[in-house]
Amino acid sequence: MLSVRNLQASYGAAQVLFDVSLNVGAGEVVTLLGRNGMGKTTTIRAIMGLLQPQGGEVRFDGGTVTGFAPYRVAKAGIGLVPEGRQIFPTLSVEENLVATASTRLGSRRWTLDAVYDLFPRLKERRLNLGTQLSGGEQQMLAIGRALMTNPKLVILDEATEGLAPLIRLEIWDCLKRLRAEHQSILVIDKNVNALAAFADRHVIIEKGRSVWTGTSAELMADTTLKDRYLHV
Ligand SMILES: Nc1ncnc2c1ncn2[C@@H]1O[C@H](COP(=O)(O)OP(=O)(O)O)[C@@H](O)[C@H]1O
Ligand SMILES: [Mg+2]
């Protein structure tokens, strides 16, 4: 479904991605792991067209989307839950959700009601402004907003960052429900144990290069991996 090959990208003169490759198959849950500053968010930005790649290829759903404008990548079927949530603060919950609702043909799984069913809290808060929400509610809104585009692939960048443990569990539960519906997911998170229990495969990046890929069992079995690439 998503195939990233030898991706390269820079901020100005500073090259950040040197050689990132990863695949997400239909219905698969894949993680992108690595310490802070290794290029995870930059990889996502380059996939989404928020940053022009300088080399490599991004293929999605049978065609290239390399260097496409963000709206075209979204239209192709990739929904992003960005780092830092980035909800529209001056819009209500419901306006945030409707703002991204897709008219894309094909999958029409996600409606307002379906999002409210997944996150009843958002329904209670539907008239509240983005600024009036707790961190957890903002995160739920960011996920709901991505789902409203009826994406074939959802990408979550640090979706549990800064949330209280109980709220974190709610987010993981939500992702498990999506997974049970065979939603393809690419997820970035610091919580390696939760990810190992949840994901099919993992990709580790180090200084802008994908250096390892394997299953959850392989990840957990090799303690040197965690010491070498994941612990601070
Ligand atoms: N807007 C930016 N301008 C310049 N450098 C950036 C910018 N965003 C990130 N970087 C740098 O790119 C590198 C990778 O960052 P990032 O992709 O955010 O890492 P991660 O998501 O893995 O923590 C870091 O060295 C970071 O300082
Ligand atoms: Mg990041």
Side-chain angles (χ1 to χ4, degrees), residues 11 16 35-42:
Y11 294 105
V16 168
R35 281 189 289 257
N36 281 341
M38 290 303 166
K40 302 181 296 297
T41 296
T42 304

Side-chain angles (χ1 to χ4, degrees), residues 5-6 11 31 42 53 55 58-59 76 78 80 93 95 100-101 114 122 138 149 168 176 187 209 212 231:
R5 286 282 148 266
N6 311 114
Y11 294 105
T31 78
T42 304
V58 181
R59 295 185 65 80
I78 306 184
L80 174 65
V93 164
E95 287 165 341
T100 59
L122 290 185
Q138 287 185 18
T149 68
R168 244 177 226 195
K176 282 176 191 157
V187 55
R209 291 185 165 82
W212 184 88
H231 290 162

Side-chain angles (χ1 to χ4, degrees), residues 7 16-20 37-39 43 205-210:
L7 199 61
V16 168
L17 301 186
F18 294 89
D19 187 4
V20 175
M38 290 303 166
T43 298
I205 74 171
E206 167 96 336
K207 295 182 186 155
R209 291 185 165 82
S210 41

Side-chain angles (χ1 to χ4, degrees), residues 64-83:
T64 187
V65 293
T66 317
F68 280 22
Y71 79 93
R72 286 182 71 195
V73 179
K75 214 167 170 190
I78 306 184
L80 174 65
V81 182
E83 189 171 39

Side-chain angles (χ1 to χ4, degrees), residues 11 73 81-82 95 110 135 137 169 189 200 204 214:
Y11 294 105
V73 179
V81 182
E95 287 165 341
W110 292 100
E137 289 164 347
L169 285 180
D189 205 278
D200 300 302
I204 297 179

